[in-house]
Amino acid sequence: MSANGIGLKSRLAYEEAIKAYQDKPLPSSLFYIVMDLNALKHTNDTLGHARGDELIKGAARCIKKALGQDTDIYRMGGDEFAAIVTSEENEIREDIAALKVRTEEWSGTHSLFLSISCGYAQANETDTIATLCERADKKMYEEKARFYKESGFDRRRRN
């Protein structure tokens, strides 16, 4: 288990995993999933970093439980996570649906809600690992934009 106690891998481990896929064809069963917490900056700015840390840990636990204990999940930075998975698309959809349920059911000691935007992409014969990641990122940012639009949350305001 990693030092964070939850079993996530580091950014360095992520970079090594990505490097292993460079300069070689990607299997069509390869999926890249990227996840990003919604409203973390607002939580940090208005409620403090301890509550933001609670959200990060809650997100990590929800992601690990939804994607499975054997899945390599990487903490990319503050509120970003990624997974590189060999699977079937229907299983990926089920895992992401399970993540949504887990985040909706999550309850922290100090924080009231947890929301994660996800994007995923399946490798095809023309993808490089970089284009696979870009396609997943694009979907994640589209979902993030929907979250902010539908929730009425203004990520630029501090209160």
Side-chain angles (χ1 to χ4, degrees), residues 32-35 96 117-121 135-137 139-140 143:
Y32 180 80
I33 306 168
V34 63
M35 298 149 281
I96 291 173
S117 291
C118 300
Y120 74 89
R135 289 192 302 115
D137 276 346
K139 290 179 182 178
M140 186 271 298
E143 186 172 314

Side-chain angles (χ1 to χ4, degrees), residues 5-154:
I6 298 170
L8 273 58
K9 294 190 173 201
S10 69
R11 173 122 190 150
L12 179 60
Y14 167 81
E15 290 170 2
E16 290 172 2
I18 290 293
K19 199 179 293 185
Y21 286 104
Q22 290 179 336
D23 303 323
K24 69 180 193 179
L26 303 178
S28 62
S29 59
L30 187 73
F31 287 83
Y32 180 80
I33 306 168
V34 63
M35 298 149 281
D36 193 271
L37 275 148
N38 294 318
L40 179 64
K41 180 175 178 6
H42 175 79
T43 299
N44 283 338
D45 289 350
T46 61
L47 302 175
H49 288 273
R51 291 190 180 167
D53 287 347
E54 180 181 52
L55 288 178
I56 292 168
K57 289 175 186 173
R61 286 185 179 98
C62 288
I63 292 166
K64 192 69 175 170
K65 287 179 182 173
L67 299 184
Q69 295 301 315
D70 295 332
T71 302
D72 288 338
I73 302 165
Y74 306 91
R75 180 159 179 222
M76 308 294 294
D79 60 352
E80 296 177 42
F81 304 87
I84 303 168
V85 181
T86 301
S87 188
E88 300 288 330
E89 186 168 14
N90 63 329
E91 291 176 14
I92 297 297
R93 286 183 185 170
E94 289 172 6
D95 290 347
I96 291 173
L99 176 59
K100 296 290 182 197
V101 169
R102 288 190 179 280
T103 59
E104 289 170 4
E105 293 175 347
W106 180 86
S107 177
T109 303
H110 303 287
S111 302
L112 300 177
F113 82 100
L114 176 61
S115 174
I116 301 172
S117 291
C118 300
Y120 74 89
Q122 181 177 9
N124 63 46
E125 63 275 351
T126 61
D127 277 323
T128 62
I129 192 66
T131 59
L132 182 65
C133 295
E134 287 170 12
R135 289 192 302 115
D137 276 346
K138 183 176 187 254
K139 290 179 182 178
M140 186 271 298
Y141 281 112
E142 289 168 357
E143 186 172 314
K144 193 171 232 3
R146 271 193 305 278
F147 166 81
Y148 284 106
K149 183 178 180 182
E150 292 171 5
S151 70
F153 221 96
D154 185 352

